[in-house]
């Protein structure tokens, strides 16, 4: 396997992790502020459940997207139907 393909795969996985973490943070901050304003104290409760669901969905979606991108990059777009 060529070094360029390995580097592209590593970059794809880092991008996947970065986008997932960004989505989780963007979801958690408003939910935590809303919970704090409602209850008046910091506690992990129901606000973490939507964050976990969004993070799982983004992780799976980015995995599919990176697999398609990586496959197209390796084949050079030759196997398009």
């Amino acid at each position: 396997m060529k070094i360029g393909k390995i580097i592209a795969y590593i970059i794809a996985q880092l991008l996947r992790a970065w986008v997932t973490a960004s989505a989780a943070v963007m979801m958690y901050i408003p939910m935590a502020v809303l919970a704090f304003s409602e209850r008046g104290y910091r506690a992990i409760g129901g606000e973490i459940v939507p964050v976990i669901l969004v993070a799982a969905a983004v992780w799976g979606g980015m995995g599919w997207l990176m697999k398609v991108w990586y496959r197209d990059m390796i084949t050079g777009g030759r196997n398009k139907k």
Side-chain angles (χ1 to χ4, degrees):
M1 189 176 253
K2 292 184 180 180
I3 190 74
K5 293 179 184 177
I6 295 171
I7 291 173
Y9 181 77
I10 291 170
I11 289 172
Q13 293 305 312
L14 289 173
L15 181 65
R16 180 182 184 190
W18 180 66
V19 169
T20 302
S22 296
V25 168
M26 286 186 282
M27 187 76 182
Y28 178 73
I29 290 173
M31 296 295 282
V33 169
L34 181 64
F36 180 73
S37 66
E38 181 181 289
R39 294 191 297 252
Y41 60 92
R42 293 180 190 256
I44 295 177
E47 72 270 6
I48 200 72
V49 174
V51 175
I52 292 171
L53 293 174
V54 166
V58 169
W59 181 258
M62 286 298 294
W64 173 79
L65 186 65
M66 290 297 139
K67 184 173 26 171
V68 169
W69 171 76
Y70 187 68
R71 183 179 58 224
D72 286 346
M73 189 198 64
I74 289 175
T75 61
R78 293 178 298 213
N79 296 335
K80 291 191 175 183
K81 293 181 180 181

